[in-house]
Amino acid sequence: MDNKKLNTPMGGGKLSNKKRLNEQQLNILESLEGVNLVVAGPGTGKTTTIQYYLSKLVEVKGIKPEEILAVTFTNKAANEMKNRMKQMNIFNINISTIHSFAVSLLRKFSPPGYNRDFSIIDDGQGYMIIGGLIKELSIGEHPSYVLERLTLSRNLRNKEMLEKDGLKELYNRYMKILMNKNLMDYDGLLTWSQYVLAHNWQALEYYNQKISHVIVDEFQDVSPVQYDILYNLVKKNNNLLCVGDFDQAIFSFRGSDVSIMLNLEKDFPSLKTFYLEENYRSTQRLVKVANKLIRNNTIRRDKQLRSTREVGIGHAIKVFDSEKEEAKFIASVIKKGILEGMKYSDFAVLYRVHLVSRTFEEVFSAAAIPYQILGGVGFFARKEIMELLAFYKIILDKNDNSSFFQIVSLFKRCIGINGIDYNKGIIPNFIKELENEVKLEKIYDKIINDTGYLNFLKKDKSSEGERVLDNVEEFRSVVNSFDKKNTSIAEFLQFIDNTKVEEDTNSVKLMTVHTAKGLEYNNVFVVGTESSLFPHYNSESKDAIEEERRLFYVAMTRAKNRLVISYPKTKIYRGSTKKLKPSPFINEIGNGISFFDVLHKDNFLEVKKKPSISLVDKNNVVEGMVIKHPLFGKGKITSISEDPSKDTMVEVSFFSGETKLLLLELADLETI
């Protein structure tokens, strides 16, 4: 390659003063025609590569922006790319999600039986229609499960799945109802777009003339129906750039099929494959250990991911006696990091399933660590948990109408109670019976047994239904732990109220690994990595295990500087202590270096002399003591107690008007 091209990647013009690209990126920019596949490892600058590819198509190749379709898989990614192109003074490229493109296609070429002004229904509307059809056809499945199966079958283009599930007749009636009312659901946008391009030659000809180049980001996540749409758009002009990473394919539950990327050459024999292997995100040791893990997969092609950064520290494995100890230790590490000048937003806690967040929410709230849950809500703010809490709240306040209506709604869904039953006093009598229970877990058991709530939830076999069921069963562990301390209902609810998610951007981020895809943080904790969660207990086939390993790989490669992988040896499950084993993926990557080295090298959490201040501890704390908190300011300790783990909790009434329940050992309260 001409060395001049390396120094000025775009060969002059508007682009000559842009950031320098590496040789692998420059090679891609030399292939502006034909079908090109870019295998882009994590942190290798794929978005920048796409940005400059689009720029060169317009400014060097002379392609009109209107003739380019760039497909992303989230609105956030589409907006980011639009902003990047705007900064380069390039406008009018069609940058959109595949669903947004499908809407524009169907507005112009409506399928048989539809008008162009069709309406798009949301999941709630689809749920209602499916629910009615389930009753009409006497199908013993939950609407959420049926909707999930319809989504999967349509994305996979697998009609046999519907026949096997006994849902073919329901699907046909569902589609007929939508068509008669000129409605489309989210999945129908794709299936109808595929149909139009396959059967309407005018539509196909229109887009073949309109679109000369197609660029697809996150190509590993395409489903068969999405691929069919893209294939029809490019098969004439034959100009396609696909960017993705088969090692980060983690959405098969939505219908994504990584084999499409791996077998692209079968449809396009002249395919050119490029690799982006220079990782700008993570240190060399972190990249090395991630490579070690993912090479255990067979559904992939080898790539030589390497870091452009320093050697760094690497990863560490930490084992704790319990989930509470795991959360407390991580909280202490974060607080020490803040003392050393780091920001809360430098830290992220990743987990396989949402319910793992519960203990971290409790501990972070008690330690006054601001946190945000990305891609979800806090454990105690989840609908199913708030319904359970409604029973506890109404015991204390008979006039709590909000809680009462939540209880009525739960009874109605679970056992079909109606207005007549209510007038007979069934619910009021049930509430009176709850008042006779002293133990929190006894109240829980009576709610579950008398309403049949668990049995009702078990009918929903969808992935969301399983998450809801897990949360409700996890709630038993919560009340069981509080009963061990003889916690009253009022104290319990106060603790829950103290557990609140912060909206501040400078906060620790908590999220599932699926949500973390595409993000990066200086310090990453991958927690709850026991064998029953990583791989997930539903992952039984070889392909499913490989996807779980890819998910673990995604988690590891979010870390820029430090990676800590941890799990508890025991956890409370359904009121009993359960012993846990480490994820097999931990054995595949090895133990790494010592945990101490991860925390104390390279100026991170180095021991520094602290100012001579006197902190409150369990030996000198007394009620009425005036203290100062680094975040909330001055206040007075109004009560002292122990939580279920025998940790000292203090309630502080701050002079600002706030009242906080804090974990003393992590609260950093200064005596004044």
Side-chain angles (χ1 to χ4, degrees):
M1 178 175 287
D2 190 341
N3 288 332
K4 293 182 179 179
K5 292 182 179 179
L6 290 176
N7 294 326
T8 55
M10 300 304 174
K14 294 181 181 178
L15 302 175
S16 60
N17 62 346
K18 302 298 181 182
K19 64 190 292 186
R20 183 171 299 182
L21 306 181
N22 65 43
E23 187 168 354
Q24 289 185 325
Q25 291 171 313
L26 291 170
N27 287 337
I28 295 166
L29 300 187
E30 294 302 311
S31 187
L32 298 178
E33 294 184 343
V35 180
N36 302 291
L37 173 64
V38 177
V39 180
T44 56
K46 72 177 179 67
T47 305
T48 298
T49 304
I50 295 173
Q51 172 189 358
Y52 279 90
Y53 194 91
L54 291 171
S55 299
K56 192 169 183 182
L57 280 176
V58 174
E59 297 190 355
V60 178
K61 188 70 175 175
I63 304 299
K64 295 179 180 179
E66 297 83 359
E67 295 179 3
I68 302 172
L69 172 64
V71 176
T72 67
F73 282 83
T74 65
N75 288 316
K76 180 182 177 182
N79 291 331
E80 179 186 352
M81 185 57 69
K82 288 176 183 178
N83 289 333
R84 286 186 178 224
M85 302 317 299
K86 182 179 180 180
Q87 292 170 6
M88 302 182 83
N89 294 317
I90 296 176
F91 305 91
N92 299 323
I93 294 177
N94 186 355
I95 303 173
S96 69
T97 65
I98 189 73
H99 288 87
S100 294
F101 172 77
V103 171
S104 65
L105 183 155
L106 295 172
R107 296 289 187 207
K108 186 173 290 291
F109 298 97
S110 56
Y114 277 94
N115 298 322
R116 295 180 183 180
D117 60 346
F118 61 86
S119 298
I120 302 171
I121 66 172
D122 59 24
D123 289 341
Q125 293 168 296
Y127 184 99
M128 296 294 291
I129 297 172
I130 292 295
L133 289 172
I134 285 174
K135 291 181 180 179
E136 183 180 326
L137 297 172
S138 300
I139 296 175
E141 298 291 357
H142 194 279
S144 294
Y145 174 75
V146 172
L147 279 170
E148 188 173 89
R149 298 301 289 176
L150 295 189
T151 291
L152 190 60
S153 65
R154 285 189 280 178
N155 273 283
L156 293 175
R157 300 199 66 206
N158 186 342
K159 293 182 179 179
E160 291 74 18
M161 180 185 297
L162 295 177
E163 292 186 17
K164 183 179 178 181
D165 290 344
L167 299 175
K168 183 178 179 181
E169 177 63 20
L170 180 145
Y171 172 71
N172 290 336
R173 294 196 188 189
Y174 174 66
M175 295 301 289
K176 187 175 181 179
I177 289 172
L178 295 185
M179 183 179 291
N180 289 339
K181 295 183 177 182
N182 204 35
L183 303 173
M184 282 196 194
D185 62 8
Y186 200 57
D187 299 313
L189 295 173
L190 300 183
T191 54
W192 281 120
S193 292
Q194 188 278 330
Y195 178 90
V196 167
L197 290 175
H199 295 88
N200 186 331
W201 67 267
Q202 291 176 314
L204 183 61
E205 183 64 21
Y206 172 83
Y207 283 104
N208 284 160
Q209 292 182 7
K210 178 180 174 62
I211 301 173
S212 64
H213 288 74
V214 176
I215 288 84
V216 185
D217 191 15
E218 302 290 359
F219 188 66
Q220 78 279 349
D221 292 329
V222 298
S223 67
V225 69
Q226 293 168 346
Y227 178 69
D228 284 352
I229 293 171
L230 297 168
Y231 178 78
N232 278 303
L233 293 174
V234 303
K235 66 181 180 181
K236 182 177 180 180
N237 294 322
N238 215 45
N239 292 318
L240 173 66
L241 175 72
C242 302
V243 183
D245 182 10
F246 36 73
D247 289 334
Q248 298 186 75
I250 57 174
F251 293 106
S252 66
F253 63 91
R254 296 179 184 171
S256 300
D257 186 354
V258 68
S259 68
I260 294 173
M261 181 176 182
L262 291 168
N263 298 313
L264 190 60
E265 194 170 4
K266 292 182 180 179
D267 285 334
F268 299 100
S270 60
L271 174 73
K272 296 180 182 177
T273 301
F274 300 87
Y275 287 84
L276 291 178
E277 299 168 307
E278 293 189 21
N279 180 294
Y280 296 97
R281 175 186 300 157
S282 307
T283 61
Q284 293 178 31
R285 282 179 174 166
L286 291 180
V287 168
K288 184 177 180 180
V289 73
N291 286 341
K292 183 179 180 182
L293 171 77
I294 203 61
R295 283 174 183 150
N296 288 282
N297 270 10
T298 59
I299 308 173
R300 65 186 301 270
R301 295 176 186 172
D302 192 35
K303 63 178 187 290
Q304 304 299 319
L305 190 66
R306 55 191 179 275
S307 173
T308 61
R309 294 187 55 204
E310 69 276 11
V311 173
I313 297 171
H315 76 290
I317 310 297
K318 183 70 174 174
V319 186
F320 298 93
D321 289 333
S322 67
E323 295 172 288
K324 181 71 175 290
E325 292 302 313
E326 182 181 29
K328 282 173 55 181
F329 188 85
I330 290 172
S332 69
V333 171
I334 292 171
K335 292 185 78 70
K336 290 175 182 176
I338 299 304
L339 291 175
E340 297 299 326
M342 304 188 78
K343 297 182 294 185
Y344 287 111
S345 56
D346 288 326
F347 298 89
V349 179
L350 311 184
Y351 35 78
R352 176 62 180 84
V353 295
H354 278 293
L355 66 86
V356 175
S357 74
R358 192 262 302 173
T359 305
F360 289 88
E361 292 178 60
E362 293 178 8
V363 171
F364 285 5
S365 293
I369 294 176
Y371 67 91
Q372 281 182 291
I373 296 179
L374 302 187
V377 297
F379 179 83
F380 296 107
R382 293 165 196 168
K383 179 177 180 291
E384 60 276 11
I385 301 303
M386 292 182 71
E387 288 182 329
L388 292 175
L389 289 172
F391 288 91
Y392 293 87
K393 290 179 179 179
I394 207 162
I395 293 173
L396 292 186
D397 182 3
K398 307 298 184 298
N399 297 316
D400 187 344
N401 290 329
S402 176
S403 293
F404 182 77
F405 286 123
Q406 284 181 296
I407 293 170
V408 171
S409 175
L410 188 147
F411 265 90
K412 184 176 180 180
R413 295 199 319 276
C414 294
I415 59 178
I417 194 169
N418 55 39
I420 296 175
D421 294 321
Y422 163 64
N423 289 334
K424 292 179 180 178
I426 291 179
I427 293 179
N429 289 337
F430 178 75
I431 295 171
K432 288 182 179 178
E433 292 175 6
L434 289 181
E435 295 173 9
N436 297 324
E437 299 291 353
V438 177
K439 294 292 186 180
L440 300 173
E441 190 172 8
K442 290 289 186 181
I443 295 173
Y444 172 90
D445 287 338
K446 185 167 182 60
I447 296 169
I448 295 300
N449 295 332
D450 287 26
T451 64
Y453 195 28
L454 279 184
N455 291 332
F456 172 77
L457 295 176
K458 289 176 181 178
K459 295 177 182 178
D460 183 359
K461 296 184 291 186
S462 67
S463 56
E464 176 60 24
E466 290 181 349
R467 284 192 288 270
V468 170
L469 181 61
D470 284 343
N471 288 337
V472 170
E473 292 187 325
E474 176 71 8
F475 190 78
R476 175 192 287 277
S477 300
V478 176
V479 293
N480 174 270
S481 66
F482 277 91
D483 273 342
K484 291 179 179 177
K485 177 60 181 60
N486 295 321
T487 306
S488 69
I489 296 176
E491 292 169 332
F492 173 61
L493 293 176
Q494 181 183 1
F495 181 88
I496 301 303
D497 187 58
N498 190 62
T499 307
K500 294 181 179 178
V501 177
E502 300 286 342
E503 296 300 327
D504 189 357
T505 55
N506 183 24
S507 55
V508 180
K509 303 301 185 289
L510 278 66
M511 73 199 86
T512 65
V513 183
H514 282 101
T515 301
K517 177 73 172 65
L519 303 177
E520 62 182 28
Y521 297 93
N522 284 325
N523 310 286
V524 171
F525 299 94
V526 186
V527 301
T529 57
E530 60 260 30
S531 59
S532 59
L533 290 182
F534 246 134
H536 192 270
Y537 55 79
N538 283 341
S539 301
E540 298 177 351
S541 67
K542 178 178 179 294
D543 287 358
I545 295 297
E546 293 217 355
E547 176 147 336
E548 290 291 309
R549 187 179 287 109
R550 291 195 293 266
L551 192 60
F552 205 88
Y553 175 78
V554 167
M556 294 174 66
T557 54
R558 300 311 93 196
K560 297 168 67 175
N561 299 320
R562 290 158 191 88
L563 170 68
V564 177
I565 299 169
S566 62
Y567 67 94
K569 290 189 290 187
T570 63
K571 70 185 299 184
I572 303 298
Y573 182 68
R574 295 180 180 176
S576 301
T577 301
K578 179 181 178 182
K579 292 185 178 180
L580 304 174
K581 296 180 180 179
S583 165
F585 303 144
I586 290 178
N587 293 328
E588 293 176 0
I589 64 177
N591 290 329
I593 64 173
S594 76
F595 193 72
F596 179 88
D597 287 338
V598 171
L599 296 184
H600 291 274
K601 284 188 176 180
D602 294 348
N603 297 320
F604 178 58
L605 303 193
E606 286 184 350
V607 178
K608 294 183 178 180
K609 291 184 179 180
K610 297 181 180 179
S612 56
I613 60 174
S614 177
L615 295 180
V616 181
D617 60 35
K618 63 172 58 180
N619 296 317
N620 63 10
V621 62
V622 293
E623 289 186 12
M625 177 182 285
V626 178
I627 53 82
K628 181 179 180 181
H629 187 273
L631 188 61
F632 304 119
K634 294 181 180 180
K636 180 183 290 187
I637 296 176
T638 55
S639 68
I640 305 168
S641 61
E642 286 186 346
D643 77 351
S645 300
K646 304 300 182 183
D647 292 317
T648 301
M649 307 294 296
V650 292
E651 182 182 74
V652 182
S653 178
F654 289 99
F655 299 157
S656 63
E658 289 186 282
T659 298
K660 294 286 183 180
L661 189 63
L662 302 175
L663 180 59
L664 183 60
E665 68 177 286
L666 296 176
D668 295 332
L669 299 180
E670 179 184 350
T671 59
I672 57 176

